[in-house]
Amino acid sequence: ENLCMVAFELPDGSWSYMIANDSTVTKKVSVVNGLSATDMNYYLMSESTIPANREVKPISSSAVVKKADGAYNVEIPANSFVVLSDKK
């Protein structure tokens, strides 16, 4: 509920997931992909991560998510947008 996710397999075989949470609470998500065995970089965009001057710049990964029990388990903070990607 209040989540939207899109998955992309890139031409080089890497995967990226865009996940939006427009609710007022943090949501837990498990992403299952039997084709990807590598760690995923976690990129977070939320009101608190946007610069005060609203300048748009590339962001750095804030965490690395390891596959556990066949899934990437992540928390998506309230009112935020997360990208998971194994693109190198």
Side-chain angles (χ1 to χ4, degrees), residues 35-57:
L35 302 176
S36 180
T38 63
D39 297 342
M40 291 279 180
N41 290 307
Y42 178 97
Y43 302 87
L44 172 65
M45 285 296 295
S46 67
E47 187 65 32
S48 64
T49 65
I50 297 173
N53 65 2
R54 302 304 225 205
E55 182 179 0
V56 177
K57 299 191 266 187

Side-chain angles (χ1 to χ4, degrees), residues 13-27:
S14 62
W15 287 85
S16 292
Y17 302 87
M18 287 70 174
I19 310 166
N21 177 4
D22 71 349
S23 76
T24 58
V25 296
T26 296
K27 302 284 186 164

